């Protein structure tokens, strides 16, 4: 069996930066949550992406949950959510007993359509917040979406779980909305094994998020609680991994870009193949290189052929309005997300891949076009 090629697996620094920070946590016995790595990681992420404040948390999902709470989302509130995304974007809306309304994507960005958002704002003038995703590291149509939300006074939350390092007009995704969230899950561009971060320019809200994330303990000697708390704070050991990983983010960005360009160069002549859209305002992080297929060769053929050679690939996210769990909620749009789901393939985008590995992937894919 050939060696396994992964879609996107953890890639620690060659220099061993992560272990240095972990060792420091051990040496100082700062194994408990909080400590220098947590503070340091928050400061370093803020500096890198140009946000003002950040709270390090156990996951990206927890960050979305706290963003909704910080935005005051309560039972019965309407929250717009990108339809084509991972379920983790939408689940926290349900945690708050709020009502999601799913909005379709456009082909230009693969993310929430600004014109459908406009339509949705007419239909639901009471909406409290909008959650957009920057799928696979492609930025959403930020200029239009930010303006629509500002004009209507609706809170904008950016799910930048997949787009750390992506810029739009030179500014990092996650810093355009009232809140941005990052994920450091094992498959993301950098990882802490599991983790997330909430970003905002609003210091008071970030301080509040830290408070909620550590069980909402009031300032008192005894255990006193005036609000609902959560155990959502990132640990000091995990944050050490993040500090080390952040040092190699630029290397990872360069490699992800290289992988996308490689596939494009080697596959673009194939009939009926398309690549994810890269627009001039947008400098993606190329977290995952995605293709679309609209001819005889179907995504299943590609995924099956790759799997037979021990190579991991995946379909594009299945839209939320097609998920059994979210059946009862409104959906605004048509079939853009559905079409991308049915025709898309996520190709291996692991930064540990060598040129030989990339050539192996390309060879398997090209073989499917041989007899057609
Ligand atoms: C990974 C991911 C999340 C969730 O992040 P976790 O850290 O795994 O909780 C949320 N949204 C999107 C779009 C993601 O890809």
């Amino acid at each position: 069996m050939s060696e396994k090629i992964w879609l996107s697996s953890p890639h620690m620094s060659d220099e061993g930066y992560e272990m240095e920070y972990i060792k420091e946590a051990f040496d100082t016995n700062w194994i408990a949550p909080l400590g220098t790595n947590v503070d340091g990681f928050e400061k370093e992420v803020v500096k890198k992406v140009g946000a003002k404040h950040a709270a390090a948390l156990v996951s990206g999902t927890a960050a979305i949950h706290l963003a909704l709470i910080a935005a005051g989302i309560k039972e019965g509130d309407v929250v717009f959510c990108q339809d084509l995304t991972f379920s983790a974007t939408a689940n926290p809306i349900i945690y708050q007993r709020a009502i999601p309304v799913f909005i379709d994507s456009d082909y230009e960005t693969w993310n929430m359509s600004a014109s459908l958002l406009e339509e949705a704002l007419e239909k639901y003038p009471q909406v409290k917040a909008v959650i957009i995703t920057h799928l696979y590291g492609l930025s959403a149509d930020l200029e239009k979406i930010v303006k629509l939300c500002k004009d209507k006074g609706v809170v904008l939350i950016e799910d930048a779980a997949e787009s750390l390092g992506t810029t739009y007009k030179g500014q990092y995704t996650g810093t355009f909305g009232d809140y941005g969230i990052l994920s450091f899950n094992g498959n993301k561009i950098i990882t802490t094994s599991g983790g997330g971060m909430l970003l905002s320019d609003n210091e008071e809200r970030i301080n509040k998020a830290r408070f909620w994330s550590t069980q909402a303990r009031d300032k008192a000697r005894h255990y006193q609680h005036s609000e609902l708390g959560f155990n959502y704070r990132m640990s000091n050991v995990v944050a050490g991994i993040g500090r080390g990983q952040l040092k190699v983010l630029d290397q990872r960005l360069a490699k992800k870009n290289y992988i996308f360009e490689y596939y494009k160069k080697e596959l673009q002549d194939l009939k009926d193949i398309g690549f994810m859209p890269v627009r001039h305002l947008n400098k993606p992080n190329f977290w995952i290189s995605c293709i679309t297929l609209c001819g005889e060769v179907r995504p299943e053929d590609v995924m099956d052929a790759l799997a037979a050679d021990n190579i991991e690939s995946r379909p594009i996210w299945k839209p939320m309005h097609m998920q059994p769990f979210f059946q009862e909620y409104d959906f605004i749009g048509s079939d853009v997300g559905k079409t991308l789901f049915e025709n898309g393939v996520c190709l291996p985008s692991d930064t540990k891949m060598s040129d030989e590995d990339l050539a192996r992937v390309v060879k398997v894919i090209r073989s499917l076009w041989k007899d057609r």
Side-chain angles (χ1 to χ4, degrees), residues 187-208:
N187 60 356
K188 299 297 177 354
I189 190 161
I190 60 170
T191 181
T192 59
S193 75
M197 205 173 277
L198 177 65
L199 308 174
S200 179
D201 286 350
N202 187 329
E203 185 174 16
E204 181 272 329
R205 292 282 86 185
I206 291 292
N207 285 337
K208 211 60 205 272

Side-chain angles (χ1 to χ4, degrees), residues 367-372:
S367 72
L368 294 165
W369 268 262
K370 280 253 166 64
D371 317 314
R372 293 172 208 250

